[in-house]
Amino acid sequence: MTQFADFDTRNYRTVDVRTGYGQWVATYEQTVEDVMDLALLDRLEQPSWTTVRRAIDLGCGTGRTGAWLRNHGVELIDGVDLTPEMLAVSRRKGVHQTLTEADVTDTGLSSGSYDLAIASLIDEHLPDVAPLYAEAFRLAEPGGLFVMVAFHPHFIMTAGMPTHFTSATGEPLAISTHVHLLSTQITAGLAEGWVLTEMREGVIDEGWLAVKPKWERFRGHPVSAAFVWRKPG
Ligand SMILES: C[S@@+](CC[C@H](N)C(=O)[O-])C[C@H]1O[C@@H](n2cnc3c(N)ncnc32)[C@H](O)[C@@H]1O
């Protein structure tokens, strides 16, 4: 089995998701790079964002993904996240209709309520991605889409770097990170009944190097991946 510990070159102290994001929230939006996820969303040919009726934003965090959706014409968005401090920032941003504190694998929201589910930059925190594909499938209406943006396993392994932040005391802290091979994502989605309709990979390119010049050594390496899945029906 592929385990992050086998690749870890940083050996930072690791905290759980709620503890980690509860602290990172103070600097999260200044440190996460839009080229990681939003640039990939920009490249997707589907969904037709302006025709989305209602979206569920799984792992909505501070509302970055939600704000991007609103800017691309998605009017109604509900959000779910495990970390109350991240949800509080989202609440102030005001881009979601409802915000629910829950695990993305067991949201408690109504089945078949959404024509779009989206989960961006969250998969590496899940020990197993299959329950996320299952919950998104339950929440989606027939014909609905699931957009999943993932931290690329190649990059996690090559850089040996977990998702991490610098705490208020200056200590670098890792947030529990798991490596999911691309085949693991595909297998989980197909097993649930999703149909893969589009896939993109983001690489360390000029856009990346403009914001992270010290990543020159990673030029050309894939760093993120986006999958678009459709629920039959
Ligand atoms: C890197 S942030 C991404 C937030 C937002 N989608 C974005 O792109 O900025 C990851 C978020 O996922 C949340 N998260 C991680 N595991 C979760 C789980 N099992 N259930 C719900 N939320 C989770 C964290 O609390 C955090 O807010």
Side-chain angles (χ1 to χ4, degrees), residues 17 21 28 37 59 61 64-65 81-83 102-104 120-121 126:
V17 164
Y21 282 99
Y28 176 76
D37 55 336
R64 280 178 68 252
T65 310
D81 202 282
L82 203 57
T83 308
D103 196 295
V104 291
S120 182
L121 304 184
L126 305 176

Side-chain angles (χ1 to χ4, degrees), residues 211-229:
V211 293
K212 279 247 187 221
K214 67 180 180 185
W215 279 9
E216 179 62 44
R217 68 190 187 283
F218 297 126
R219 183 187 282 271
H221 285 261
V223 64
S224 52
F227 307 83
V228 182
W229 299 92

